[in-house]
């Protein structure tokens, strides 16, 4: 992990430059899409993207890193296409991503995202649902103007996204221990759908729209899914041990919500579930109990002690390696492949 972090830190300026280049290309088209909405819905969508405040006053900056659009653009270039080929796919995937975050925040009851109120908290649940639906409709409209295979790829990703979300919700009612406890394999399958599907779609769409053909699109899609799994593994680590100033969420945010994330599931099932009882006890402390924060700290320490933190980092490293191997074997444009490699390493470092 230390070697990977050193590589990432060395490559960071190049990755940021790639993100900025792709964002500059895609952002005007994304703005044009949102501007097609009813003014009140467009304001909510702009707020969700971080382009304006709750009153509609424009903010500086572009809102977010634009990882998925960049992945689409760079994959198009990597298989020999132009960056412009991927713009429609990049916009569509970013709209779906925004839609998924809006609805996820409603379902999870999250009140903060990207250092501001979530959409439902700022505007209400009903309007937020409407804005999320509008973002999804825009995505389908945008991709509908491209080849039929691209639309099918986006539709498949949406189905996987819903299946992953459904599995994640179902995990909430599962016990910490016993035959019905969530396993690492089940969690990984859920993350491959919920998080991996959109990164896979972005990479696959980019390769497809860039003229790479079905085989290249499938390969890049697989690379994107590995990136998604690595991204989720890091996100799960940040959900427990992340700096609130970086994540924009409270310390131990996932533990407070008793979420069964990768480090938690590993800790609950390792050694035949020997630690599940204590872990469940610590996490089930009543929210208003005076010992709540101390129990969450003890839970985080227990998870780290039995290997959950190291396991999450190892999973991130492994998926990054697999993604990089596929990119190297599939790309025909060495310059774009190098940019894509640096972006992949950037994804694996969520400390920025």
């Amino acid at each position: 992990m230390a070697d990977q972090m050193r590589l990432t830190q060395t490559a960071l300026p190049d990755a940021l430059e790639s993100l900025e280049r792709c964002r500059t290309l895609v952002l005007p088209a994304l703005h044009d899409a949102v501007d097609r909405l009813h003014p009140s819905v467009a304001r909510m969508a702009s707020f969700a993207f971080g382009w304006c405040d709750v009153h509609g006053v424009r903010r500086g900056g572009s809102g977010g890193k634009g990882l998925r659009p960049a992945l689409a653009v760079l994959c198009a270039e990597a298989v020999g296409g132009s960056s412009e080929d991927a713009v429609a796919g990049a916009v569509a995937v970013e709209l779906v991503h925004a839609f998924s975050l809006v609805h996820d925040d409603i379902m999870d009851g999250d009140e903060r995202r990207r250092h501001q109120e979530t959409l439902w908290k700022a505007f209400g649940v009903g309007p937020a649902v409407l804005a999320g639906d509008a973002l999804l409709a825009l995505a389908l409209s945008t991709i509908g103007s491209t080849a039929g295979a691209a639309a099918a790829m986006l539709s498949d990703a949406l189905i996987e996204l819903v299946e992953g979300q459904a599995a994640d919700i179902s995990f909430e009612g599962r016990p910490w221990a016993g035959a019905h406890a969530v396993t690492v394999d089940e969690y990984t399958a859920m993350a491959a759908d919920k998080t991996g599907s959109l990164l896979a779609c972005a990479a696959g769409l980019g390769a497809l729209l860039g003229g790479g053909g079905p085989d290249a699109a499938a390969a890049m899609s697989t690379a994107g899914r590995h990136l998604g799994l690595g991204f989720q593994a890091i996100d799960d680590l940040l959900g427990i041990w992340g700096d609130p100033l970086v994540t924009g969420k409270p310390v131990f945010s996932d533990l407070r919500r008793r979420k069964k994330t990768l480090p938690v599931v590993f800790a609950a099932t390792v050694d035949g579930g020997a630690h599940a009882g204590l872990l469940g006890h610590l996490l089930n402390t009543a929210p208003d109990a005076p010992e709540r924060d101390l129990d969450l700290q003890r839970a985080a320490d227990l998870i780290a002690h039995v290997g959950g933190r190291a396991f999450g980092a190892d999973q991130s490293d492994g998926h990054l390696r697999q993604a990089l191997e596929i990119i190297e074997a599939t790309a025909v444009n060495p310059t774009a492949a190098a940019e894509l490699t640096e972006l992949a390493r950037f994804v694996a470092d969520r400390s920025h």
Side-chain angles (χ1 to χ4, degrees), residues 35-61:
D35 286 344
R36 290 161 48 195
L37 296 171
H38 183 280
S40 65
V41 180
R43 177 162 63 97
M44 288 189 288
S46 295
F47 177 83
F49 278 116
W51 301 339
C52 71
D53 66 16
V54 70
H55 304 293
V57 178
R58 289 282 177 175
R59 291 172 170 161

Side-chain angles (χ1 to χ4, degrees), residues 60-79:
S62 55
K65 297 183 180 68
L67 170 63
R68 289 156 190 82
L71 190 58
V73 170
L74 292 177
C75 282
E77 294 176 340
V79 300

Side-chain angles (χ1 to χ4, degrees), residues 55-226:
H55 304 293
V57 178
R58 289 282 177 175
R59 291 172 170 161
S62 55
K65 297 183 180 68
L67 170 63
R68 289 156 190 82
L71 190 58
V73 170
L74 292 177
C75 282
E77 294 176 340
V79 300
S82 70
S83 56
E84 289 78 9
D85 292 334
V87 169
V91 169
V93 171
E94 187 70 349
L95 289 167
V96 170
H97 176 55
F99 143 77
S100 70
L101 294 182
V102 169
H103 282 203
D104 279 359
D105 288 339
I106 294 170
M107 286 184 280
D108 294 342
D110 284 343
E111 299 183 357
R112 304 287 297 177
R113 180 177 292 279
R114 294 173 180 164
H115 307 285
Q116 67 176 15
E117 286 186 320
T118 52
L119 195 65
W120 74 265
K121 184 66 176 177
F123 291 91
V125 172
V129 170
L130 178 62
D133 291 346
L135 290 166
L136 177 57
L138 274 182
L140 297 174
S141 174
T142 300
I143 205 65
S145 62
T146 65
M153 188 177 292
L154 185 66
S155 296
D156 289 345
L158 282 167
I159 293 171
E160 291 177 348
L161 181 64
V162 171
E163 289 179 346
Q165 181 67 29
D168 194 24
I169 292 173
S170 75
F171 290 170
E172 295 176 5
R174 301 267 294 272
W176 293 105
H180 299 291
V182 178
T183 66
V184 169
D185 286 345
E186 285 180 307
Y187 182 87
T188 302
M190 179 279 294
D193 284 342
K194 183 178 178 181
T195 305
S197 61
L198 277 187
L199 286 170
C201 184
L205 275 178
L208 182 67
L209 297 175
D215 290 343
M220 287 301 195
S221 178
T222 300
R225 196 174 301 276
H226 280 299

Side-chain angles (χ1 to χ4, degrees), residues 3 14 29 59 113 167 199 205 239 241 250 290 307 326-327 338:
D3 290 342
D14 288 339
R59 291 172 170 161
R113 180 177 292 279
L199 286 170
L205 275 178
W241 295 283
I326 294 170
I327 291 168

Side-chain angles (χ1 to χ4, degrees), residues 283-310:
L283 295 178
N284 286 328
T285 306
D288 57 351
E291 68 271 22
R292 174 67 163 161
D293 287 347
L294 182 58
D295 279 354
L296 292 179
Q297 179 66 65
R298 288 169 174 163
D301 291 345
L302 174 62
I303 293 166
H305 177 71
V306 302
R309 189 172 189 173

